[in-house]
Amino acid sequence: VLGSSPVTIVVTSEADTWDIDTWDIDTWDVDTWDVDTSSRPGSAQFVDWDKMPEPQQPAQLPRDILSKPPKELKRLAREGCWASSHAGRAGLYPRLIQRVSCRLVTPDALVYRDVASRLFGKPSVSSHPLPEFLQGCPVPTYCLNPRGVTALKKILICVGSLFPDITYSPLLPALAALLLHYSEDEAQCFESVSRLLASNAPHASYIDQSFLAHQASCMTFGDLANKHCPAAHKLIAGASDNVLEVYSQWLSWLFPGLPFAFAVRVLDVFLLEGQKVLFRVALALLKLYRLSVASAELEGTDIKVELRAFAQNIAEHVTANKLLERAFGIRLFSRKEIWLLQMANRKALVERGITMVQRRPSFHLAVDMQNFSSGTVTAQEMRLIWSWIPERFSLFPPLLLFSTSQDGCSLQRFYTCCEGYEPTVLLIKTTEGEV
C-alpha cells in the first residue's frame, strides 16, 4: 500500500535550538555508480528502512538515460521509470540537478564541508537555532532516522548562513528532506538544494524565497483553480470565509501533505520541470477532492483541515500513477504565461505594501462581509463573486461607483461615474429577481 507510513513534522519557532552531531563526510563518485536495484543507496545512513515503501517492481535503468531528448526524459519521469529503484533515484537526482541552470557563484559540496566544519566543529556537539526564515514552517522528516534528522537540520542551518537573502521559504525543508533520502552525504544534498535555490532559468523557478514570492504563487494557484477547477472553487468559496487563505495552504497539500511514496513521485518530475508541476498536482488534488465530497458535508467544517487530511489519505482514492496522469491531463497555461501571471500578482502585492523582507502576516480578503450591504446580492453571493475575480484584484477593497437606487438610470451618468476606474464589476438584478 503506497504511503502507509506516517510523516513526522517538526514545526519550528524562532527560539528553537537543536543539538547538532558531527560525523565524517564520506565521498562518492557519481560516475562510478552502478545501477543495482537490489541495493540501497549511499543515503542508507540517513534512512529508517522500515518506514521506506518498497519499490513495486525491480527494473534496470539504462546508463544512457540522461542522453535521451528532454521530452522523452519528461515522459519517463511522469510514468515513474525510476520509481522502482531507490538506488536509481540516488544516482539520477544529483545528475539531473547538475543540469539546472543556476548563478555562476553557487555554493557547492566543498563550500558546505568548509562551512559545516566551522559552524559545528569537530567532533563536538553544539546547539544551533534553525534559520529565522523557517519560523513557523513545517520541517517534515518523512523516513529519515535520527541521524538523518540531524543532518537535515545541519543542511538547513548552512543554507541560512550561505543564502542570507532568503526571508521565507516553506517549501525548502521538505525538498531538502526528500533529497537527503537519496543523497550520498550531507554535502551532496546541500549542493542539490543550493542549485535549486540559485536557479536562473528563464520563466521558471523551483523554490520561493520570500513571503512576497510565496504569496504571489498562492494567488497564481487561486487564479488557476478558478479557471481549471470551477466546481471545486465554487465549493470552497461557499464553505470558507476567505478563499485566498485556503489557497495560501496549497503547498502544504503536497509537502508534507502527501505520503512519502507520492511526494517522491512528484519530486521525480519537479526536478525536470520546475514549479509548474506543483501547480498541476495541486489542481489534480483539488479536482479529486471535489469528487469525494458533497456540499452538505462541508457545513461547519474547516476546509483547510479537510484538504490537508484528503492529501494525507490520497492513497485511499488513487495511485501515484493515476494522480500524475490526472495532473498532466490538465491543459495548463505555458510556463511563460504562468510566470507573467505571477509577476502581475507580485506587482499587486507590492502595491498593497507587501515587501521582500516582510514577516509572514495574516491575510484577509478585502471585502468586509460582516458589514456588507447590497440590494442586488447577498453577502454570501458577493463572497462567491469576489472569489471569481483574479487574485491580484481581489486584494483591494471594492468602491461603489454607481447604483441605480442612488444615481438613477441615466446611461450617461453611469459612464461618467465609472470613467477612469478599472477593472470594474457590474452587478445587475432583473425585475424577475435574477442576478
Side-chain angles (χ1 to χ4, degrees):
V1 179
L2 290 176
S4 57
S5 58
V7 174
T8 303
I9 301 173
V10 181
V11 179
T12 70
S13 64
E14 189 173 355
D16 284 341
T17 58
W18 304 94
D19 287 335
I20 305 298
D21 295 305
T22 303
W23 297 280
D24 289 333
I25 299 173
D26 298 326
T27 58
W28 185 49
D29 187 355
V30 173
D31 292 326
T32 61
W33 167 72
D34 185 23
V35 182
D36 179 6
T37 56
S38 64
S39 65
R40 292 171 177 176
S43 58
Q45 58 181 316
F46 301 130
V47 175
D48 182 346
W49 286 93
D50 290 333
K51 293 182 179 179
M52 283 285 275
E54 288 299 321
Q56 287 184 299
Q57 52 185 350
Q60 289 285 342
L61 298 180
R63 281 187 174 276
D64 65 343
I65 190 168
L66 292 183
S67 66
K68 295 184 180 298
K71 269 193 174 181
E72 176 70 5
L73 201 57
K74 288 178 183 178
R75 182 187 67 80
L76 292 172
R78 293 176 185 183
E79 293 176 358
C81 177
W82 44 87
S84 57
S85 169
H86 294 310
R89 279 194 176 108
L92 277 173
Y93 278 1
R95 295 153 73 190
L96 287 174
I97 293 172
Q98 282 298 318
R99 293 179 160 205
V100 173
S101 172
C102 60
R103 296 191 295 267
L104 187 61
V105 182
T106 300
D108 58 12
L110 289 175
V111 173
Y112 175 82
R113 291 187 177 100
D114 178 59
V115 172
S117 65
R118 286 190 285 107
L119 281 177
F120 310 120
K122 285 185 177 182
S124 63
V125 177
S126 56
S127 294
H128 294 265
L130 280 176
E132 197 174 332
F133 68 80
L134 292 179
Q135 182 180 356
C137 295
V139 182
T141 59
Y142 295 108
C143 304
L144 295 177
N145 59 24
R147 184 174 182 177
V149 173
T150 298
L152 174 61
K153 294 165 187 170
K154 289 173 67 179
I155 292 165
L156 294 174
I157 289 167
C158 286
V159 167
S161 175
L162 291 164
F163 290 85
D165 292 338
I166 300 178
T167 56
Y168 186 69
S169 187
L171 181 61
L172 175 58
L175 284 184
L178 288 172
L179 288 170
L180 188 57
H181 288 71
Y182 300 101
S183 298
E184 182 67 13
D185 55 31
E186 298 166 21
Q188 187 189 71
C189 181
F190 169 84
E191 181 169 326
S192 295
V193 171
S194 182
R195 291 188 67 85
L196 295 179
L197 285 168
S199 168
N200 60 2
H203 307 140
S205 64
Y206 286 91
I207 307 175
D208 293 330
Q209 299 168 47
S210 68
F211 179 78
L212 175 62
H214 170 69
Q215 196 63 34
S217 295
C218 294
M219 292 169 62
T220 300
F221 178 75
D223 289 329
L224 296 174
N226 189 10
K227 177 177 175 60
H228 296 283
C229 310
H233 180 80
K234 184 175 180 180
L235 186 73
I236 292 171
S240 172
D241 292 333
N242 190 337
V243 181
L244 181 56
E245 188 178 343
V246 174
Y247 289 147
S248 71
Q249 306 275 319
W250 75 281
L251 276 177
S252 69
W253 308 342
L254 307 177
F255 310 113
L258 291 173
F260 177 82
F262 283 74
V264 79
R265 281 296 306 278
V266 175
L267 183 63
D268 289 343
V269 196
F270 172 76
L271 295 180
L272 281 169
E273 303 186 45
Q275 195 180 53
K276 186 176 177 180
V277 169
L278 305 186
F279 287 129
R280 283 188 175 280
V281 177
L283 290 172
L285 286 170
L286 206 55
K287 285 176 174 285
L288 289 166
Y289 175 73
R290 176 63 187 92
L291 293 174
S292 71
V293 298
S295 302
E297 296 175 11
L298 293 179
E299 290 183 12
T301 63
D302 187 334
I303 193 74
K304 298 191 296 296
V305 173
E306 290 289 314
L307 280 164
R308 285 198 298 270
F310 179 79
Q312 289 167 0
N313 298 303
I314 189 64
E316 298 175 6
H317 303 275
V318 290
T319 63
N321 280 337
K322 288 296 183 182
L323 176 63
L324 290 179
E325 280 179 21
R326 183 176 281 267
F328 287 102
I330 299 171
R331 295 178 63 106
L332 205 57
F333 294 141
S334 71
R335 182 180 295 178
K336 183 177 180 180
E337 288 171 323
I338 290 177
W339 179 80
L340 290 171
L341 182 56
Q342 283 190 275
M343 291 303 101
N345 285 328
R346 188 176 177 129
K347 181 181 178 183
L349 285 165
V350 171
E351 291 175 0
R352 179 77 183 267
I354 305 300
T355 66
M356 291 286 291
V357 297
Q358 183 162 345
R359 304 283 183 185
R360 183 181 180 182
S362 58
F363 236 82
H364 302 285
L365 286 178
V367 180
D368 183 358
M369 294 302 175
Q370 289 186 338
N371 298 317
F372 177 78
S373 177
S374 169
T376 305
V377 292
T378 65
Q380 186 174 6
E381 289 170 338
M382 186 59 179
R383 186 169 67 191
L384 178 60
I385 292 166
W386 209 246
S387 78
W388 290 334
I389 298 171
E391 299 281 7
R392 60 187 178 278
F393 301 133
S394 65
L395 283 173
F396 300 94
L399 173 67
L400 182 62
L401 302 176
F402 176 88
S403 171
T404 52
S405 61
Q406 299 175 16
D407 302 297
C409 297
S410 166
L411 189 60
Q412 182 177 355
R413 181 165 176 77
F414 166 75
Y415 283 129
T416 301
C417 290
C418 298
E419 186 177 7
Y421 292 95
E422 61 178 29
T424 57
V425 177
L426 178 62
L427 303 178
I428 300 173
K429 188 172 187 176
T430 70
T431 53
E432 301 294 324
E434 300 163 321
V435 177

